[in-house]
Amino acid sequence: MKLTDISPAIALTPLDGRYHKQTAPLVEYMSEPALNRERMRVEVEWMILLANGFEGNGNQTIVPGVKPLTDDEQAYLRSIPENFGAEGIAQHAAYEAKTHHDVKAVEYYIDDQLEKAADVLGHDTQLTGLKTLVHFACTSEDINNLSIARCVKNGVEQVWLPAAQAIVDHLAQKADAYRDKAMLSLTHGQPATPTTLGKELAVYVYRLNRQLNKVKAQEYLGKINGATGTFGAHLAACPDVDWVAVSREFVTNRMGLTWNPLTTQIESHDWQAELYGTISHTNRILHNLCVDVWMYISRGVFAQVPVKGATGSSTMPHKVNPIRFENAEANLEISCSLLDTLSATLVESRWQRDLTDSTTQRNIGSALGYSLLALNNLMGGLNSIHPNDVVIQAELDSNWEVLGEPIQTAMRACELAGLPGMDKPYEKVKELMRGHEISKDDVERFIDQQAFDEATAARLKALAPATYTGVASKLVDFDR
Ligand SMILES: O=C(O)C[C@H](Nc1ncnc2c1ncn2[C@@H]1O[C@H](COP(=O)(O)O)[C@@H](O)[C@H]1O)C(=O)O
Protein backbone atom coordinates (compact mmCIF):
# COMPACT_ATOMS: atom_id res chain seq x y z
CA MET A 1 0.00 0.00 0.00
CA LYS A 2 1.21 3.49 -0.80
CA LEU A 3 1.28 5.74 2.23
CA THR A 4 0.11 8.64 0.08
CA ASP A 5 -3.16 6.77 -0.58
CA ILE A 6 -4.09 6.77 3.09
CA SER A 7 -6.76 9.21 4.21
CA PRO A 8 -6.61 11.48 6.21
CA ALA A 9 -3.26 12.45 4.74
CA ILE A 10 -0.14 11.35 6.59
CA ALA A 11 1.94 14.28 7.79
CA LEU A 12 5.45 14.76 6.46
CA THR A 13 6.75 16.71 9.43
CA PRO A 14 6.85 15.45 13.02
CA LEU A 15 5.08 18.60 14.24
CA ASP A 16 1.89 17.49 12.52
CA GLY A 17 2.50 13.76 12.88
CA ARG A 18 4.10 12.24 15.95
CA TYR A 19 3.91 15.45 17.99
CA HIS A 20 0.58 16.72 16.74
CA LYS A 21 -1.11 16.59 20.15
CA GLN A 22 1.57 18.79 21.67
CA THR A 23 1.60 21.39 18.90
CA ALA A 24 -2.15 21.42 18.15
CA PRO A 25 -2.88 24.58 20.20
CA LEU A 26 -0.91 26.57 17.62
CA VAL A 27 -3.08 25.31 14.73
CA GLU A 28 -5.83 27.68 15.88
CA TYR A 29 -3.58 30.66 15.16
CA MET A 30 -0.68 29.66 12.96
CA SER A 31 -2.05 27.22 10.36
CA GLU A 32 -2.96 28.13 6.78
CA PRO A 33 -6.73 28.02 7.44
CA ALA A 34 -6.15 30.20 10.51
CA LEU A 35 -4.37 32.72 8.28
CA ASN A 36 -7.19 32.66 5.70
CA ARG A 37 -9.77 33.10 8.45
CA GLU A 38 -7.82 36.06 9.78
CA ARG A 39 -7.65 37.50 6.26
CA MET A 40 -11.45 37.33 6.16
CA ARG A 41 -11.68 39.09 9.51
CA VAL A 42 -9.47 41.87 8.18
CA GLU A 43 -11.44 42.18 4.93
CA VAL A 44 -14.84 42.38 6.64
CA GLU A 45 -13.65 44.83 9.32
CA TRP A 46 -12.29 47.04 6.53
CA MET A 47 -15.70 46.94 4.82
CA ILE A 48 -17.43 47.88 8.07
CA LEU A 49 -15.08 50.82 8.65
CA LEU A 50 -15.49 52.05 5.07
CA ALA A 51 -19.27 51.83 5.30
CA ASN A 52 -19.83 53.17 8.79
CA GLY A 53 -16.87 55.48 9.44
CA PHE A 54 -15.42 56.09 12.88
CA GLU A 55 -15.51 58.62 15.65
CA GLY A 56 -12.68 60.62 14.08
CA ASN A 57 -14.74 61.32 10.92
CA GLY A 58 -18.04 61.80 12.73
CA ASN A 59 -19.09 58.22 11.92
CA GLN A 60 -19.68 59.18 8.29
CA THR A 61 -19.53 56.69 5.45
CA ILE A 62 -16.01 56.83 4.03
CA VAL A 63 -16.72 55.57 0.51
CA PRO A 64 -19.50 57.72 -0.99
CA GLY A 65 -22.57 55.82 -2.11
CA VAL A 66 -22.24 53.05 0.48
CA LYS A 67 -24.95 53.13 3.14
CA PRO A 68 -24.01 52.46 6.76
CA LEU A 69 -24.29 48.76 7.52
CA THR A 70 -26.99 47.71 9.96
CA ASP A 71 -26.11 45.72 13.08
CA ASP A 72 -27.45 42.59 11.36
CA GLU A 73 -25.36 43.23 8.26
CA GLN A 74 -22.23 43.74 10.36
CA ALA A 75 -23.00 40.55 12.29
CA TYR A 76 -23.45 38.68 9.02
CA LEU A 77 -20.09 39.90 7.72
CA ARG A 78 -18.39 38.94 10.98
CA SER A 79 -19.95 35.49 10.84
CA ILE A 80 -18.13 34.76 7.56
CA PRO A 81 -14.72 34.09 9.16
CA GLU A 82 -16.31 32.53 12.24
CA ASN A 83 -18.13 29.97 10.07
CA PHE A 84 -15.06 29.21 7.98
CA GLY A 85 -14.62 25.45 8.45
CA ALA A 86 -13.86 22.33 6.44
CA GLU A 87 -16.33 23.25 3.68
CA GLY A 88 -15.01 26.80 3.46
CA ILE A 89 -11.42 25.59 3.35
CA ALA A 90 -12.25 23.41 0.35
CA GLN A 91 -14.12 26.26 -1.35
CA HIS A 92 -11.23 28.65 -0.82
CA ALA A 93 -8.80 26.04 -2.15
CA ALA A 94 -10.95 25.65 -5.27
CA TYR A 95 -10.79 29.40 -5.88
CA GLU A 96 -7.04 29.45 -5.27
CA ALA A 97 -6.59 26.62 -7.77
CA LYS A 98 -8.18 28.91 -10.35
CA THR A 99 -6.70 32.27 -9.36
CA HIS A 100 -3.27 31.07 -8.21
CA HIS A 101 -3.57 33.95 -5.79
CA ASP A 102 -4.42 33.14 -2.19
CA VAL A 103 -5.72 36.58 -1.19
CA LYS A 104 -7.80 36.93 -4.37
CA ALA A 105 -9.32 33.56 -3.47
CA VAL A 106 -10.30 34.98 -0.08
CA GLU A 107 -11.96 37.90 -1.86
CA TYR A 108 -13.98 35.54 -4.09
CA TYR A 109 -14.93 33.45 -1.07
CA ILE A 110 -16.33 36.55 0.64
CA ASP A 111 -18.13 37.53 -2.58
CA ASP A 112 -19.86 34.13 -2.47
CA GLN A 113 -21.00 34.74 1.08
CA LEU A 114 -22.32 38.20 0.14
CA GLU A 115 -24.42 36.59 -2.55
CA LYS A 116 -26.02 34.39 0.10
CA ALA A 117 -26.69 37.32 2.44
CA ALA A 118 -30.24 37.86 1.18
CA ASP A 119 -31.18 34.33 2.30
CA VAL A 120 -30.39 35.36 5.87
CA LEU A 121 -31.08 39.10 5.92
CA GLY A 122 -33.85 39.43 3.33
CA HIS A 123 -33.78 41.05 -0.07
CA ASP A 124 -33.45 44.59 1.26
CA THR A 125 -29.90 44.06 2.38
CA GLN A 126 -27.31 46.04 0.49
CA LEU A 127 -24.67 43.35 1.13
CA THR A 128 -25.47 41.42 -2.05
CA GLY A 129 -24.47 44.49 -4.06
CA LEU A 130 -21.34 45.29 -2.07
CA LYS A 131 -18.83 42.96 -3.74
CA THR A 132 -16.86 45.95 -5.00
CA LEU A 133 -16.32 47.12 -1.43
CA VAL A 134 -14.46 43.89 -0.60
CA HIS A 135 -10.70 44.55 -0.68
CA PHE A 136 -11.43 48.18 -1.66
CA ALA A 137 -8.19 50.06 -2.52
CA CYS A 138 -6.19 47.24 -0.93
CA THR A 139 -3.17 45.40 -2.08
CA SER A 140 -2.85 41.83 -0.81
CA GLU A 141 -0.09 42.79 1.59
CA ASP A 142 -2.50 45.19 3.32
CA ILE A 143 -4.53 42.16 4.24
CA ASN A 144 -1.59 39.78 4.73
CA ASN A 145 0.51 41.91 7.05
CA LEU A 146 -2.41 42.62 9.37
CA SER A 147 -3.54 38.99 9.37
CA ILE A 148 -0.07 37.62 10.01
CA ALA A 149 0.58 40.11 12.80
CA ARG A 150 -2.68 39.14 14.49
CA CYS A 151 -2.02 35.40 14.03
CA VAL A 152 1.47 35.71 15.47
CA LYS A 153 0.33 37.96 18.34
CA ASN A 154 -2.38 35.47 19.30
CA GLY A 155 -0.15 32.43 18.86
CA VAL A 156 2.54 33.98 21.02
CA GLU A 157 0.25 35.44 23.66
CA GLN A 158 -2.25 32.58 23.89
CA VAL A 159 0.03 29.57 23.44
CA TRP A 160 3.79 30.11 23.45
CA LEU A 161 4.06 32.63 26.27
CA PRO A 162 1.88 30.67 28.74
CA ALA A 163 3.97 27.54 28.05
CA ALA A 164 7.23 29.45 28.52
CA GLN A 165 5.87 31.19 31.62
CA ALA A 166 4.89 27.80 33.10
CA ILE A 167 8.53 26.69 32.81
CA VAL A 168 9.75 29.87 34.50
CA ASP A 169 7.17 29.52 37.28
CA HIS A 170 8.16 25.89 37.80
CA LEU A 171 11.84 26.82 37.97
CA ALA A 172 11.05 29.65 40.40
CA GLN A 173 9.26 27.20 42.69
CA LYS A 174 12.21 24.84 42.60
CA ALA A 175 14.64 27.74 43.15
CA ASP A 176 12.69 28.69 46.24
CA ALA A 177 12.44 25.12 47.52
CA TYR A 178 16.18 24.45 47.08
CA ARG A 179 17.48 27.89 48.00
CA ASP A 180 19.40 26.45 51.02
CA LYS A 181 20.50 23.21 49.37
CA ALA A 182 24.28 23.60 49.22
CA MET A 183 25.94 22.06 46.19
CA LEU A 184 29.44 21.86 44.80
CA SER A 185 30.08 24.20 41.89
CA LEU A 186 32.14 23.20 38.91
CA THR A 187 33.90 25.86 36.90
CA HIS A 188 35.80 24.52 33.92
CA GLY A 189 34.42 21.19 35.10
CA GLN A 190 36.59 21.40 38.24
CA PRO A 191 35.44 21.68 41.88
CA ALA A 192 34.90 25.33 42.78
CA THR A 193 33.26 27.58 45.38
CA PRO A 194 30.01 25.93 46.50
CA THR A 195 26.64 27.44 45.71
CA THR A 196 23.07 26.36 46.33
CA LEU A 197 20.93 24.43 43.90
CA GLY A 198 18.17 27.02 44.29
CA LYS A 199 20.45 29.92 43.44
CA GLU A 200 21.67 28.18 40.28
CA LEU A 201 18.06 27.65 39.14
CA ALA A 202 17.24 31.26 40.08
CA VAL A 203 19.91 32.41 37.62
CA TYR A 204 17.81 30.79 34.89
CA VAL A 205 14.60 32.30 36.23
CA TYR A 206 16.18 35.75 36.12
CA ARG A 207 17.54 35.27 32.62
CA LEU A 208 14.30 33.88 31.26
CA ASN A 209 12.16 36.55 32.90
CA ARG A 210 14.17 39.27 31.17
CA GLN A 211 13.41 37.73 27.79
CA LEU A 212 9.76 37.00 28.54
CA ASN A 213 9.28 40.61 29.64
CA LYS A 214 10.54 41.65 26.22
CA VAL A 215 8.11 39.30 24.51
CA LYS A 216 5.26 40.67 26.66
CA ALA A 217 6.18 44.23 25.64
CA GLN A 218 6.62 43.35 21.95
CA GLU A 219 5.06 45.75 19.43
CA TYR A 220 3.18 44.18 16.52
CA LEU A 221 3.13 46.62 13.62
CA GLY A 222 0.61 46.81 10.82
CA LYS A 223 -0.11 48.92 7.77
CA ILE A 224 -2.93 49.49 5.31
CA ASN A 225 -1.79 52.01 2.73
CA GLY A 226 -2.03 50.42 -0.71
CA ALA A 227 0.22 49.00 -3.40
CA THR A 228 3.31 51.07 -2.60
CA GLY A 229 2.32 52.72 0.66
CA THR A 230 1.20 56.03 -0.89
CA PHE A 231 -2.62 55.78 -0.66
CA GLY A 232 -2.52 56.47 -4.42
CA ALA A 233 -5.57 54.37 -5.35
CA HIS A 234 -7.47 55.55 -2.29
CA LEU A 235 -7.06 59.21 -3.23
CA ALA A 236 -7.76 58.60 -6.92
CA ALA A 237 -11.08 56.98 -5.97
CA CYS A 238 -12.12 59.13 -3.00
CA PRO A 239 -10.11 62.38 -2.97
CA ASP A 240 -11.91 64.00 -0.05
CA VAL A 241 -11.09 61.34 2.51
CA ASP A 242 -8.29 61.68 5.10
CA TRP A 243 -6.94 58.21 4.28
CA VAL A 244 -4.00 58.50 6.63
CA ALA A 245 -6.43 58.94 9.52
CA VAL A 246 -8.59 56.05 8.27
CA SER A 247 -5.54 53.82 8.04
CA ARG A 248 -4.37 54.74 11.54
CA GLU A 249 -7.85 54.10 12.96
CA PHE A 250 -8.08 50.73 11.27
CA VAL A 251 -4.68 49.40 12.29
CA THR A 252 -4.76 50.77 15.83
CA ASN A 253 -8.35 50.45 16.97
CA ARG A 254 -9.88 47.85 14.70
CA MET A 255 -6.88 45.52 14.41
CA GLY A 256 -5.30 46.18 17.83
CA LEU A 257 -1.82 46.66 16.34
CA THR A 258 0.77 49.43 16.25
CA TRP A 259 0.27 51.62 13.18
CA ASN A 260 3.19 51.73 10.76
CA PRO A 261 2.81 54.96 8.74
CA LEU A 262 5.75 54.53 6.42
CA THR A 263 6.23 51.47 4.28
CA THR A 264 6.81 50.17 0.78
CA GLN A 265 4.19 47.69 -0.40
CA ILE A 266 5.13 45.52 2.54
CA GLU A 267 5.11 46.11 6.24
CA SER A 268 8.85 46.03 6.85
CA HIS A 269 8.77 43.04 9.25
CA ASP A 270 11.24 44.62 11.67
CA TRP A 271 8.96 43.77 14.58
CA GLN A 272 9.06 40.15 13.47
CA ALA A 273 12.86 40.13 13.52
CA GLU A 274 12.78 41.61 17.03
CA LEU A 275 10.26 39.08 18.30
CA TYR A 276 11.91 36.04 16.73
CA GLY A 277 15.28 37.24 17.99
CA THR A 278 13.92 37.36 21.54
CA ILE A 279 12.22 33.97 21.27
CA SER A 280 15.36 32.48 19.76
CA HIS A 281 17.40 33.95 22.63
CA THR A 282 14.89 32.46 25.09
CA ASN A 283 15.28 29.11 23.32
CA ARG A 284 19.03 29.30 23.75
CA ILE A 285 18.76 30.00 27.47
CA LEU A 286 16.41 27.01 27.75
CA HIS A 287 18.91 24.95 25.77
CA ASN A 288 21.60 25.91 28.29
CA LEU A 289 19.23 24.79 31.06
CA CYS A 290 18.54 21.46 29.34
CA VAL A 291 22.25 20.73 28.99
CA ASP A 292 22.98 21.75 32.58
CA VAL A 293 20.20 19.61 34.00
CA TRP A 294 21.23 16.70 31.76
CA MET A 295 24.73 16.94 33.22
CA TYR A 296 23.40 17.27 36.79
CA ILE A 297 21.45 14.06 36.16
CA SER A 298 24.55 12.37 34.79
CA ARG A 299 26.51 13.48 37.88
CA GLY A 300 23.73 12.25 40.16
CA VAL A 301 22.84 15.69 41.57
CA PHE A 302 19.32 15.21 40.21
CA ALA A 303 17.64 11.83 40.27
CA GLN A 304 14.84 10.92 37.86
CA VAL A 305 11.59 9.32 38.85
CA PRO A 306 11.15 6.29 36.59
CA VAL A 307 7.85 6.26 34.69
CA LYS A 308 5.93 3.11 35.63
CA GLY A 309 5.90 0.63 32.77
CA ALA A 310 8.31 2.69 30.63
CA THR A 311 11.52 1.36 29.10
CA GLY A 312 14.73 3.30 29.64
CA SER A 313 17.10 1.41 27.40
CA SER A 314 16.04 -1.44 25.11
CA THR A 315 19.09 -3.45 26.16
CA MET A 316 20.27 -2.13 29.54
CA PRO A 317 17.36 -2.67 31.91
CA HIS A 318 18.78 -0.59 34.78
CA LYS A 319 18.64 2.71 32.90
CA VAL A 320 16.39 5.77 33.20
CA ASN A 321 17.44 8.05 30.37
CA PRO A 322 16.97 11.84 30.42
CA ILE A 323 15.15 11.73 27.10
CA ARG A 324 12.79 14.67 27.76
CA PHE A 325 15.77 17.01 28.13
CA GLU A 326 17.42 15.57 25.02
CA ASN A 327 14.24 15.98 22.99
CA ALA A 328 13.86 19.57 24.22
CA GLU A 329 17.49 20.34 23.41
CA ALA A 330 17.12 19.13 19.83
CA ASN A 331 13.83 20.89 19.17
CA LEU A 332 15.12 24.14 20.62
CA GLU A 333 17.97 23.95 18.14
CA ILE A 334 15.58 23.44 15.22
CA SER A 335 13.35 26.25 16.42
CA CYS A 336 16.35 28.58 16.72
CA SER A 337 17.51 27.85 13.23
CA LEU A 338 14.08 28.61 11.79
CA LEU A 339 13.64 31.74 13.92
CA ASP A 340 17.11 32.96 13.02
CA THR A 341 16.38 32.49 9.32
CA LEU A 342 13.08 34.34 9.68
CA SER A 343 14.75 37.23 11.54
CA ALA A 344 17.57 37.50 9.04
CA THR A 345 15.61 37.23 5.82
CA LEU A 346 12.30 38.94 6.52
CA VAL A 347 13.88 42.36 7.00
CA GLU A 348 14.98 42.51 3.36
CA SER A 349 12.78 43.04 0.31
CA ARG A 350 13.74 44.25 -3.16
CA TRP A 351 12.66 47.83 -3.88
CA GLN A 352 8.96 48.15 -3.17
CA ARG A 353 8.33 44.38 -2.79
CA ASP A 354 9.43 40.91 -3.63
CA LEU A 355 7.51 37.83 -2.63
CA THR A 356 10.24 35.93 -0.76
CA ASP A 357 8.64 36.87 2.55
CA SER A 358 5.39 35.11 1.62
CA THR A 359 6.62 31.53 1.68
CA THR A 360 9.08 32.34 4.48
CA GLN A 361 6.30 33.53 6.76
CA ARG A 362 4.44 30.26 6.23
CA ASN A 363 7.07 28.73 8.55
CA ILE A 364 6.44 30.94 11.59
CA GLY A 365 4.11 28.30 12.98
CA SER A 366 6.79 25.62 12.62
CA ALA A 367 9.39 27.82 14.32
CA LEU A 368 7.08 28.39 17.28
CA GLY A 369 5.88 24.78 17.10
CA TYR A 370 9.36 23.33 17.64
CA SER A 371 9.84 25.66 20.58
CA LEU A 372 6.45 24.70 22.04
CA LEU A 373 7.31 21.03 21.66
CA ALA A 374 10.58 21.66 23.49
CA LEU A 375 8.79 23.54 26.28
CA ASN A 376 6.44 20.61 26.66
CA ASN A 377 9.25 18.10 26.92
CA LEU A 378 11.24 20.29 29.24
CA MET A 379 8.24 20.54 31.56
CA GLY A 380 7.91 16.76 31.51
CA GLY A 381 11.59 16.44 32.34
CA LEU A 382 11.53 19.01 35.14
CA ASN A 383 8.51 17.31 36.68
CA SER A 384 10.41 14.03 36.87
CA ILE A 385 13.56 15.12 38.71
CA HIS A 386 14.43 15.73 42.32
CA PRO A 387 17.73 16.44 44.09
CA ASN A 388 19.71 13.43 45.22
CA ASP A 389 20.92 14.53 48.67
CA VAL A 390 23.32 11.62 49.11
CA VAL A 391 25.29 12.51 45.98
CA ILE A 392 25.15 16.23 46.66
CA GLN A 393 26.49 15.77 50.22
CA ALA A 394 29.16 13.30 49.12
CA GLU A 395 30.47 15.78 46.53
CA LEU A 396 30.72 18.50 49.14
CA ASP A 397 32.39 16.19 51.70
CA SER A 398 35.06 15.07 49.28
CA ASN A 399 36.14 18.53 48.16
CA TRP A 400 37.45 20.38 51.22
CA GLU A 401 40.05 22.07 49.04
CA VAL A 402 37.37 24.56 47.94
CA LEU A 403 37.94 26.22 51.32
CA GLY A 404 41.31 27.44 50.04
CA GLU A 405 39.58 30.52 48.66
CA PRO A 406 37.97 31.79 51.90
CA ILE A 407 41.13 31.07 53.91
CA GLN A 408 43.47 32.95 51.57
CA THR A 409 40.99 35.83 51.28
CA ALA A 410 40.69 36.06 55.09
CA MET A 411 44.51 36.06 55.32
CA ARG A 412 44.64 39.00 52.90
CA ALA A 413 42.11 40.91 55.01
CA CYS A 414 44.16 40.20 58.16
CA GLU A 415 47.36 41.37 56.51
CA LEU A 416 45.68 44.54 55.27
CA ALA A 417 44.45 45.11 58.85
CA GLY A 418 48.08 44.96 60.04
CA LEU A 419 48.26 41.43 61.48
CA PRO A 420 51.85 40.11 61.21
CA GLY A 421 52.75 36.77 59.57
CA MET A 422 50.00 36.89 56.98
CA ASP A 423 52.20 37.42 53.94
CA LYS A 424 51.94 35.37 50.74
CA PRO A 425 48.45 34.04 51.58
CA TYR A 426 47.69 32.81 48.07
CA GLU A 427 50.98 30.97 47.75
CA LYS A 428 50.71 29.34 51.19
CA VAL A 429 47.22 28.05 50.57
CA LYS A 430 48.18 26.91 47.08
CA GLU A 431 51.06 24.94 48.54
CA LEU A 432 48.68 23.12 50.88
CA MET A 433 45.70 22.61 48.59
CA ARG A 434 46.75 22.22 44.99
CA GLY A 435 46.90 18.71 43.65
CA HIS A 436 46.39 17.10 47.06
CA GLU A 437 43.42 15.41 48.55
CA ILE A 438 42.43 17.62 51.43
CA SER A 439 40.51 16.58 54.53
CA LYS A 440 38.66 18.58 57.16
CA ASP A 441 41.62 17.92 59.52
CA ASP A 442 44.12 19.31 56.98
CA VAL A 443 42.12 22.50 56.75
CA GLU A 444 41.85 22.86 60.52
CA ARG A 445 45.57 22.21 60.95
CA PHE A 446 46.43 24.83 58.36
CA ILE A 447 44.22 27.40 60.06
CA ASP A 448 45.85 26.61 63.42
CA GLN A 449 49.30 27.11 61.87
CA GLN A 450 48.46 30.68 60.82
CA ALA A 451 48.56 33.69 63.13
CA PHE A 452 44.83 34.41 62.84
CA ASP A 453 43.11 36.22 65.67
CA GLU A 454 40.78 33.99 67.64
CA ALA A 455 37.52 35.18 66.08
CA THR A 456 38.75 34.78 62.49
CA ALA A 457 40.19 31.33 63.21
CA ALA A 458 36.91 30.23 64.76
CA ARG A 459 34.91 31.63 61.82
CA LEU A 460 37.10 29.83 59.30
CA LYS A 461 37.09 26.58 61.26
CA ALA A 462 33.31 26.68 61.34
CA LEU A 463 33.25 26.63 57.56
CA ALA A 464 32.64 23.45 55.62
CA PRO A 465 32.05 23.09 51.87
CA ALA A 466 28.34 22.75 52.71
CA THR A 467 28.22 26.05 54.58
CA TYR A 468 30.54 28.04 52.33
CA THR A 469 27.69 29.35 50.16
CA GLY A 470 27.84 33.08 50.88
CA VAL A 471 24.43 34.69 50.51
CA ALA A 472 23.37 32.30 47.74
CA SER A 473 20.07 31.45 49.39
CA LYS A 474 19.10 35.11 49.76
CA LEU A 475 19.99 35.91 46.16
CA VAL A 476 17.11 33.68 45.05
CA ASP A 477 14.78 36.56 46.02
CA PHE A 478 16.14 38.60 43.11
CA ASP A 479 14.72 36.20 40.53
CA ARG A 480 11.30 37.85 40.35
O1 LIG B 1 -1.99 42.83 -4.34
C1 LIG B 1 -1.17 42.20 -5.02
O2 LIG B 1 -1.32 41.01 -5.30
C2 LIG B 1 0.03 42.96 -5.50
C3 LIG B 1 1.20 42.13 -6.01
N1 LIG B 1 1.95 41.60 -4.89
C4 LIG B 1 1.58 40.52 -4.18
N2 LIG B 1 1.37 40.67 -2.85
C5 LIG B 1 0.94 39.63 -2.09
N3 LIG B 1 0.70 38.38 -2.59
C6 LIG B 1 0.95 38.19 -3.92
C7 LIG B 1 1.41 39.23 -4.74
N4 LIG B 1 1.60 38.73 -5.96
C8 LIG B 1 1.24 37.43 -5.92
N5 LIG B 1 0.84 37.09 -4.66
C9 LIG B 1 0.35 35.78 -4.17
O3 LIG B 1 1.11 35.37 -3.05
C10 LIG B 1 1.11 33.92 -2.97
C11 LIG B 1 2.53 33.45 -2.82
O4 LIG B 1 2.54 32.08 -2.56
P1 LIG B 1 3.71 31.38 -1.72
O5 LIG B 1 4.97 31.63 -2.47
O6 LIG B 1 3.32 29.95 -1.65
O7 LIG B 1 3.70 32.04 -0.37
C12 LIG B 1 0.48 33.42 -4.22
O8 LIG B 1 -0.85 33.04 -3.95
C13 LIG B 1 0.57 34.65 -5.11
O9 LIG B 1 -0.42 34.68 -6.13
C14 LIG B 1 2.10 43.05 -6.83
O10 LIG B 1 2.09 42.88 -8.07
O11 LIG B 1 2.77 43.92 -6.31
Side-chain angles (χ1 to χ4, degrees), residues 450-464:
Q450 312 307 314
F452 283 120
D453 58 274
E454 228 171 83
T456 307
R459 201 173 67 241
L460 291 175
K461 277 192 194 171
L463 275 182

Side-chain angles (χ1 to χ4, degrees), residues 297-353:
I297 292 170
S298 170
R299 213 169 105 192
V301 167
F302 277 123
Q304 298 176 94
V305 188
V307 178
K308 210 163 179 256
T311 299
S313 155
S314 67
T315 180
M316 295 169 275
H318 67 283
K319 294 185 75 187
V320 186
N321 292 333
I323 58 171
R324 295 288 130 238
F325 295 98
E326 292 170 349
N327 175 298
E329 199 186 308
N331 285 306
L332 288 166
E333 277 164 11
I334 299 172
S335 173
C336 280
S337 62
L338 286 173
L339 289 168
D340 294 350
T341 300
L342 289 166
S343 305
T345 61
L346 285 179
V347 293
E348 285 187 45
S349 186
R350 259 163 255 143
W351 288 331
Q352 282 67 49
R353 176 230 223 296

Side-chain angles (χ1 to χ4, degrees), residues 32 39 96 99-104 135 138-142 144 227-228 265-266 352-362:
E32 187 163 348
R39 283 166 165 156
E96 191 177 351
T99 58
H100 295 276
H101 197 300
D102 50 0
V103 181
K104 200 70 192 166
H135 204 69
C138 287
T139 190
S140 307
E141 168 70 2
D142 286 334
N144 283 342
T228 56
Q265 180 177 105
I266 65 161
Q352 282 67 49
R353 176 230 223 296
D354 66 55
L355 208 53
T356 51
D357 63 339
S358 176
T359 191
T360 306
Q361 288 176 108
R362 294 185 199 277

